[in-house]
Amino acid sequence: MDTAKKSASVEASARIDSALNRSMMQLLDHVEYRLITGGEDLEAIYRLRYKSYLRSGMCGPIAGGMFEDRWDNLPNSYRFGVYCYGELVSTVRLHYISSDQPYSPSVDAYPEILLPRLARGETFIDGTRFATDPDSAPAPGVLPFLTLRICMAAYCYFRQTAMFIPIKLEHSAFYARFFSATQRTAGKAFPGVLPPLALFEIPGNQENVQRILDRLPFFRSTATEQRLMFGNPAINRLTPLSILPTAKYYRDAA
């Protein structure tokens, strides 16, 4: 009986993944990623962060209605806006950290975890300031996938040891299910936000990355897309760089 239940659960999960892949592939035709470094688009993502964080209790009222911090303008910082049907729907910030550039909010919040590993020559992506606008979502539940697709492009470009994400424990099941994330710390104070966050690690080994891409092929990206996203942070560029998703090219070639 247990075997039958397990088999039924696996089949149901496969059907859900298949439906998700079909809808996401169709949606990507209407998505644009922007590497944002200044101007009105930068203010827009700071406003979106504030709106999202205030609604979810991540922060309190801030004069001016924008959420930014001292890690935004670091040379190893990449700030992205996700646009769907021309509207900003989500944002995320990534830092590529190494022994040469050990600068990110998670390094400051969890030095006991990250600094010894950086000293050994490991490299990481630190994913923070993930914010969405549910009111603008094109469909329920799609914004995390649209946004985290950027993280998978980073994986394929940098080939880093792992990705670290500081999150509320209530979100851990999602990251464990789709990314094999493992909790590395208890919840603790994190710079700039009110609730305690726990540090989770997503392995960057080829086996885990390939498993994710096989299960969710809309996360795939071409080398050109990856290079446009991460080839140069261009932190002083005033005009945002617009990047179109390329997962469909893998689909069409299959």
Side-chain angles (χ1 to χ4, degrees), residues 6 34 42 45 52 63 82 86 89 93-94 100 106 113 127-128 130 136 161 163 169 173 191 194 225 243 249:
K6 182 177 181 180
R34 295 184 192 173
L42 187 58
I45 66 170
S52 175
V82 181
V89 296
R93 182 184 65 199
L94 305 181
D100 292 332
S106 290
I113 300 294
T128 57
F130 176 25
S136 300
T161 307
M163 178 175 181
L169 285 172
L194 297 176
E225 182 183 358
I243 305 152
Y249 295 114

Side-chain angles (χ1 to χ4, degrees), residues 184-204:
R184 294 304 183 203
T185 72
K188 60 182 292 187
F190 192 83
V193 298
L194 297 176
L197 303 182
L199 188 66
F200 280 73
E201 178 178 356
I202 301 173

Side-chain angles (χ1 to χ4, degrees), residues 186-250:
K188 60 182 292 187
F190 192 83
V193 298
L194 297 176
L197 303 182
L199 188 66
F200 280 73
E201 178 178 356
I202 301 173
N205 60 73
Q206 184 59 37
E207 180 181 1
N208 189 49
V209 172
Q210 194 61 51
R211 181 192 65 80
I212 296 169
L213 296 177
D214 288 344
R215 182 179 184 183
L216 303 172
F218 59 85
F219 276 152
R220 294 182 180 273
S221 57
T222 64
T224 298
E225 182 183 358
Q226 296 161 19
R227 187 168 58 253
L228 287 172
M229 283 185 170
F230 302 105
N232 180 2
I235 204 68
N236 294 316
R237 185 195 294 123
L238 293 180
T239 304
L241 178 63
S242 296
I243 305 152
L244 299 180
T246 56
K248 66 180 181 181
Y249 295 114
Y250 286 95

Side-chain angles (χ1 to χ4, degrees), residues 72-166:
D72 274 313
N73 292 307
L74 293 177
N76 62 330
S77 171
Y78 301 80
R79 294 164 297 192
F80 289 94
V82 181
Y83 292 75
C84 190
Y85 296 102
E87 298 293 326
L88 177 64
V89 296
S90 66
T91 180
V92 70
R93 182 184 65 199
L94 305 181
H95 289 87
Y96 176 65
I97 52 178
S98 64
S99 58
D100 292 332
Q101 290 189 316
Y103 314 120
S104 80
S106 290
V107 171
D108 288 356
Y110 314 101
E112 72 282 4
I113 300 294
L114 291 172
L115 289 180
R117 295 180 61 176
L118 288 169
R120 293 198 296 267
E122 296 184 53
T123 59
F124 306 109
I125 295 292
D126 185 18
T128 57
R129 302 316 186 215
F130 176 25
T132 64
D133 182 4
D135 297 334
S136 300
V142 302
L143 294 185
F145 293 106
L146 286 180
T147 313
L148 294 171
R149 187 177 173 276
I150 299 170
C151 301
M152 289 308 302
Y155 261 127
C156 297
Y157 181 81
F158 288 110
R159 303 291 180 179
Q160 74 287 336
T161 307
M163 178 175 181
F164 283 99
I165 47 171

Side-chain angles (χ1 to χ4, degrees), residues 4-34:
K5 287 182 178 180
K6 182 177 181 180
S7 177
S9 176
V10 170
E11 291 177 3
S13 179
R15 286 195 297 271
I16 293 171
D17 287 352
S18 179
L20 174 64
N21 284 322
R22 286 195 301 272
S23 63
M24 290 298 299
M25 281 294 195
Q26 294 171 355
L27 186 58
L28 283 180
D29 285 336
H30 308 284
V31 169
E32 170 191 350
Y33 296 108
R34 295 184 192 173

